[in-house]
Amino acid sequence: DIQMTQSPSSLSASVGDRVTITCQASQGIINYLNWYQQKPGKAPKLLIFDASNLQTGVPSRFSGSGSGTDFTFTISSLQPEDIATYYCQQYDTLPLTFGGGTKVEI
Amino acid sequence: EVRLLESGGGLVRPGGSLRLSCAASAFTFSTSAMHWVRQAPGKGLEWVSMISGSSGSFYYADSVQGRFTISRDNAKSTLYLQMNSLRAEDTAVYYCAKDRDVLSAFDIWGQGTMVTVSS
């Protein structure tokens, strides 16, 4: 199975800060990488697909980059409503696997 | 509004069975690959199973292989997960999710249904 390692596991930032989360795959996955946001008690929501493509309706302060084994997710200016846990997910190889999550707090 | 609505969760004893349902609306269900993803209490996300639009292809996580069966009824726009030989470690919120393409991103999620396996 492809292991997805996210870091940090949690972070605290201020409103307006730039927030960066990294995700490393245990083997190359080209750009087959997605990012999700999950708020407490809610289902996950797709933010970024294919490593860098913004899902329809998602604010442009969210972005993603990377290829191969190393990927980055960025919130350019953190907003109060961005408090959530963020997950990366690979779809290069079955089983589909997720990173362990990054909890973002203010 | 595109929507997925799960049902069928509950409390079941170890070794028991449960069938989850996921009713889809407002998109072309019959051509959409669908998944089940679960989340144990306080833990991260775990992919469970996937079925193609035609039901011609299906895949399972090793942790549920041989115990869980995914199926769908395209006439009813409904996805199912038959869960047998349940274990305590199957306790989780189970989400159904629509695939954006085929084995890609989960672009639509249901609200989840809780399954608790306990004696």
Side-chain angles (χ1 to χ4, degrees), chain B residues 75-97:
Chain B
K76 295 182 178 180
S77 295
T78 301
L79 175 72
Y80 302 100
L81 186 67
Q82 177 67 43
M83 304 186 295
N84 299 330
S85 303
L86 282 161
R87 307 166 179 167
E89 54 265 35
D90 296 318
T91 294
V93 174
Y94 284 74
Y95 297 100
C96 63

Side-chain angles (χ1 to χ4, degrees), chain A residues 1 34 36 38 41-46 48-50 53 55 87 89-92 94-100, chain B residues 35 37 39 43-47 50 59-62 95 99-100 102-112:
Chain A
D1 298 3
N34 307 310
Y36 301 87
Q38 186 179 33
K42 300 295 186 181
K45 173 186 175 182
L46 176 64
I48 302 285
F49 63 93
D50 297 349
N53 293 291
Q55 175 70 349
Y87 294 92
Q89 174 245 327
Q90 67 80 22
Y91 61 97
D92 178 80
L94 287 169
L96 307 181
T97 49
F98 291 87
Chain B
H35 301 259
V37 177
Q39 186 170 36
K43 302 298 184 182
L45 300 166
E46 179 188 16
W47 173 79
M50 172 250 172
Y59 307 95
Y60 299 93
D62 286 347
Y95 297 100
D99 200 306
R100 185 178 169 276
V102 180
L103 285 174
S104 62
F106 311 120
D107 62 351
I108 305 296
W109 295 68
Q111 87 290 348

Side-chain angles (χ1 to χ4, degrees), chain A residues 3 17 21 24-25 32-33 40-41 49 55 57 66 92 96-97 105:
Chain A
Q3 307 303 316
D17 282 355
I21 299 168
Q24 184 171 59
Y32 300 153
L33 190 284
F49 63 93
Q55 175 70 349
D92 178 80
L96 307 181
T97 49
E105 300 173 308

Side-chain angles (χ1 to χ4, degrees), chain B residues 6-74:
Chain B
E6 300 96 336
S7 60
L11 175 63
V12 61
R13 296 189 186 281
S17 298
L18 212 54
R19 187 176 86 153
L20 306 183
S21 300
C22 170
S25 57
F27 66 93
T28 308
F29 180 78
S30 62
T31 60
S32 298
M34 298 293 297
H35 301 259
W36 289 97
V37 177
R38 69 184 181 183
Q39 186 170 36
K43 302 298 184 182
L45 300 166
E46 179 188 16
W47 173 79
V48 172
S49 182
M50 172 250 172
I51 187 168
S52 64
S54 64
S55 300
S57 300
F58 40 84
Y59 307 95
Y60 299 93
D62 286 347
S63 57
V64 307
Q65 180 77 48
R67 300 186 300 122
F68 290 11
T69 302
I70 191 170
S71 63
R72 62 192 297 159
D73 185 336
N74 286 341

